Amino acid sequence: MARVSASLPLAIVVLGASALDTARRIQSRFPDSRVHGLASRVNADIAYEDFGAHLRELYASGAPIVALCSAGIVIRALASCLADKGSEPPVLAVAQDGSAVVPLLGGMSGVNVLAREIGAALQVAPAITTSGELRFGQCLLAPPEGYALSDIEQGKRFVSDLLAGATTRIEGHAPWLDDAALPRAGDARLAVRITPLATHDEHSLVIHPRCVLAWIEDISRDDDIAERVRAALRERGLAPLALAALTAPARHMTSKSLHDAARALHVPLRFCDAAPFDVIDAKEGIALHVSDAPIEAQSIGRARGTLTVIGLGPGSAELMTPAARNALNDAQDVLGYETYVRMAGPFRDEQRVHMTDNREELQRARHAFELASAGRRVVVVSSGDPGVFAMAAAVLEALDEGHAAHPEWNAVKLAIVPGVSASLATAARAGAPLGHDFCVLSLSDNLKPWSVIEKRIAHAGEADLAMAFYNPLSKARPWQFDRAIEIVRQYRGAQTPVVLGRDIGRPAEALRVVTLGELKSELVDMRTMVIVGSSTTRVVGEWVYTPRWYE
Ligand code: SAH
């Protein structure tokens, strides 16, 4: 996939099971791709509900799309997105039986390269319709990674001239054009020019190698760093597109103006302990360095590491938020309790997975900070919501006790991504038992004294709150649940509805509604969520709800 510019994994979208075979054949060629299937018809890696909406969402996210259906369906689904000529991911239609591969969109982002690869996987010739590409066997306007086309309009004119019979020279080093069937002539008027210099003339197709590094020594000025970099490039006659990365001293890792500048210049930001090249003449706090060949930004210094604590929701993919999904897709390291890490997968080969025992939370959190402060993109997974009896608090505890000894942890970009907590998922299946004031309690006395739990249950009973009990029971805590119910019964009638949700959102999901009178510890285990109604909680048919009003 070397020349497909989108860095997101390929989305192979199928409507029904009949396309699955072809989808898997394509997938085997692109190990990090996922098969997306219509939830009601097919069991795929990722389920979607609405084809059009899903395709538009993928398109907007910039993911390359291979849709196993007619070209017409794809075109109609994406029609409303096309007017806006922003960056365009590759989009292809592939016949369900694998007999045709049709690149539709994304000429500049390598759709034809992708079409050829898929064609090779399915052993059919792709339906390439781009004339320049057909003639030259190369899309001149989509140079490989590490190079950037200077001006697309100019490029189109250039290709038209070639198609009309003009010849061209190549100035500079363009190894990927070695095998292209270009009409070359040493004395041609037209030239493909590979240069970091900002040049513009009507006879040239200018392609900039990303071979310039900027070292930002001085961020103390209260100004626009991007503008200063542009000025430095201008002064040396270099094109902004030739910039490979901004680099800066590691002590400035949290500087917002540096990150803003990198974003404005569309380049990665890397941090080093010392300048990554010999600084000869820094001006205005900025030094530039031009290499002979494109520079891989990833090979220089390190990025600002990120640590994202996500909630997977109760279990099923459809109850996971897109923000959590994106964090997982982006992750280089994934840490968590084994069951949850498995739930978050599958992962790509290059993603490192660190599974630990459920009880080693603080240690896991410290490990996450270590990885992130080395520049990695780290995700810590919890089930449900990470802030509800889960990893978010553990991560902050680790930071609280560790940041003095490990100042580098402070530079990590930390984010918490919420998820659907088990109480909310269970409540929704049952109706709306938490429709009025409620409280959430963990019945585990691992980290708090049992006396505190008893007191809180009594107060919640007294306050007539509906109660959601997490961690109701475990082998190590055999009697506690019965004692908890005993306390609740001092405040609530025997007819009070109780919702028991087990494995909600997972294949073994089971929901029961009983009365407080019937509730006993045999009905629950560690995988159960217990919701005890308030005095107003009622049952209507199969539904349980707590009205919004109060008498
Ligand atoms: N962070 C999680 C809770 C972790 S505590 C969340 O927000 O959901 C673990 C407890 O949550 C379990 O003992 C159980 O009571 C409850 N739980 C977690 N997932 C569940 C599920 N899918 N169905 C029912 N209860 C669940």
Side-chain angles (χ1 to χ4, degrees):
M1 233 164 99
R3 295 214 17 220
V4 177
S5 63
S7 54
L8 291 167
L10 191 68
I12 305 168
V13 186
V14 302
L15 280 158
S18 51
L20 218 46
D21 221 32
T22 307
R24 297 293 183 203
R25 277 167 72 200
I26 298 172
Q27 188 176 34
S28 64
R29 184 95 172 195
F30 302 90
D32 60 350
S33 63
R34 301 277 161 82
V35 177
H36 300 231
L38 188 60
S40 56
R41 291 210 217 141
V42 55
N43 195 4
D45 308 335
I46 291 175
Y48 65 82
E49 302 284 338
D50 178 300
F51 178 77
H54 188 64
L55 224 58
R56 287 187 288 277
E57 210 174 278
L58 286 168
Y59 183 87
S61 77
I65 301 170
V66 178
L68 275 79
C69 59
S70 81
I73 295 182
V74 183
I75 292 167
R76 266 191 297 276
L78 291 179
S80 61
C81 311
L82 301 183
D84 167 25
K85 240 191 153 193
S87 64
E88 190 173 80
V91 179
L92 301 95
V94 170
Q96 283 203 11
D97 62 0
S99 62
V101 178
V102 189
L104 295 172
L105 297 167
M108 300 303 144
S109 42
V111 72
N112 289 334
V113 178
L114 195 52
R116 286 205 175 85
E117 284 209 33
I118 294 174
L122 300 176
Q123 295 176 314
V124 291
I128 305 282
T129 55
T130 325
S131 31
E133 175 131 2
L134 285 175
R135 181 87 70 85
F136 313 133
Q138 271 284 344
C139 179
L140 279 178
L141 305 184
E145 227 174 295
Y147 296 85
L149 180 68
S150 152
D151 177 347
I152 179 78
E153 292 310 320
Q154 162 87 13
K156 286 181 184 165
R157 283 195 297 275
F158 186 91
V159 172
S160 309
D161 286 348
L162 289 195
L163 287 171
T167 53
T168 183
R169 296 170 283 134
I170 294 183
E171 271 180 26
H173 189 50
W176 74 96
L177 292 179
D178 286 351
D179 304 326
L182 285 176
R184 290 177 208 235
D187 59 350
R189 191 171 49 97
L190 300 186
V192 178
R193 296 176 61 194
I194 317 298
T195 172
L197 296 174
T199 98
H200 188 85
D201 73 75
E202 55 180 318
H203 303 305
S204 301
L205 177 79
V206 178
I207 292 174
H208 300 300
R210 294 190 174 276
C211 63
V212 179
L213 283 183
W215 169 250
I216 322 291
E217 272 181 338
D218 174 8
I219 66 154
S220 59
R221 300 149 185 258
D222 189 18
D223 67 350
D224 184 343
I225 294 175
E227 204 34 63
R228 259 199 289 147
V229 173
R230 284 193 199 101
L233 290 165
R234 223 169 15 243
E235 192 170 312
R236 300 264 302 261
L238 294 164
L241 281 172
L243 194 63
L246 293 190
T247 61
R251 64 177 183 283
H252 296 320
M253 210 173 254
T254 57
S255 154
K256 181 172 175 311
S257 43
L258 269 177
H259 289 272
D260 288 347
R263 202 169 313 118
L265 294 162
H266 306 288
V267 291
L269 175 58
R270 308 289 298 182
F271 295 94
C272 314
D273 297 321
F277 51 84
D278 287 338
V279 174
I280 301 168
D281 57 342
K283 282 206 189 99
E284 307 278 323
I286 297 201
L288 295 179
H289 177 76
V290 184
S291 298
D292 306 337
I295 294 169
E296 250 210 87
Q298 273 25 313
S299 66
I300 295 161
R302 56 194 184 274
R304 179 183 183 193
T306 64
L307 199 178
T308 308
V309 192
I310 67 165
L312 301 173
S316 66
E318 54 176 350
L319 289 181
M320 189 191 299
T321 65
R325 182 77 260 161
N326 290 341
L328 284 172
N329 286 344
D330 269 358
Q332 294 175 309
D333 293 85
V334 179
L335 288 82
Y337 175 47
E338 186 169 348
T339 314
Y340 303 146
V341 171
R342 289 196 195 288
M343 221 158 91
F347 296 102
R348 302 187 297 275
D349 286 350
E350 80 277 11
Q351 292 183 298
R352 290 193 212 150
V353 173
H354 313 259
M355 302 199 238
T356 47
D357 188 79
N358 205 10
R359 287 164 191 265
E360 298 162 8
E361 284 135 350
L362 257 191
Q363 204 180 311
R364 186 187 303 152
R366 288 188 204 109
H367 187 197
F369 272 112
E370 276 157 23
L371 291 166
S373 50
R376 304 200 39 100
R377 288 189 302 278
V378 180
V379 164
V380 172
V381 300
S382 282
S383 78
D385 180 273
V388 177
F389 311 122
M391 283 308 295
V395 162
L396 292 172
E397 283 166 35
L399 181 65
D400 205 357
E401 68 168 43
H403 74 111
H406 307 278
E408 70 281 9
W409 291 8
N410 292 313
V412 167
K413 189 167 183 216
L414 183 61
I416 320 285
V417 174
V420 177
S421 192
S423 55
L424 306 182
T426 303
R429 294 288 203 247
L434 306 178
H436 206 308
D437 299 346
F438 69 95
C439 68
V440 155
L441 290 168
S442 167
L443 296 190
S444 165
D445 57 354
N446 285 344
L447 299 169
K448 64 184 166 186
W450 179 253
S451 60
V452 170
I453 300 176
E454 287 203 2
K455 195 158 135 195
R456 288 192 179 157
I457 297 172
H459 283 307
E462 173 85 40
D464 199 21
L465 295 169
M467 299 176 213
F469 293 137
Y470 288 74
N471 301 312
L473 192 85
S474 77
K475 288 198 189 77
R477 298 181 280 113
W479 54 266
Q480 282 88 335
F481 186 71
D482 287 319
R483 173 75 191 122
I485 313 172
E486 215 177 287
I487 301 168
V488 177
R489 287 197 182 118
Q490 292 168 14
Y491 300 89
R492 301 282 153 85
Q495 290 310 310
T496 307
V498 174
V499 174
L500 304 175
R502 185 169 194 270
D503 280 337
I504 295 299
R506 301 178 191 166
E509 167 165 337
L511 187 78
R512 284 184 75 165
V513 178
V514 298
T515 63
L516 183 57
E518 292 161 350
L519 184 60
K520 52 180 183 203
S521 58
E522 286 73 33
L523 299 179
V524 308
D525 64 6
M526 263 314 261
R527 284 148 70 181
T528 312
M529 177 75 232
V530 180
I531 299 178
V532 178
S534 72
S535 67
T536 63
T537 303
R538 314 159 53 88
V539 172
V540 50
E542 293 186 342
W543 300 102
V544 179
Y545 76 104
T546 305
R548 295 158 302 143
W549 39 263
Y550 219 83
E551 277 165 8

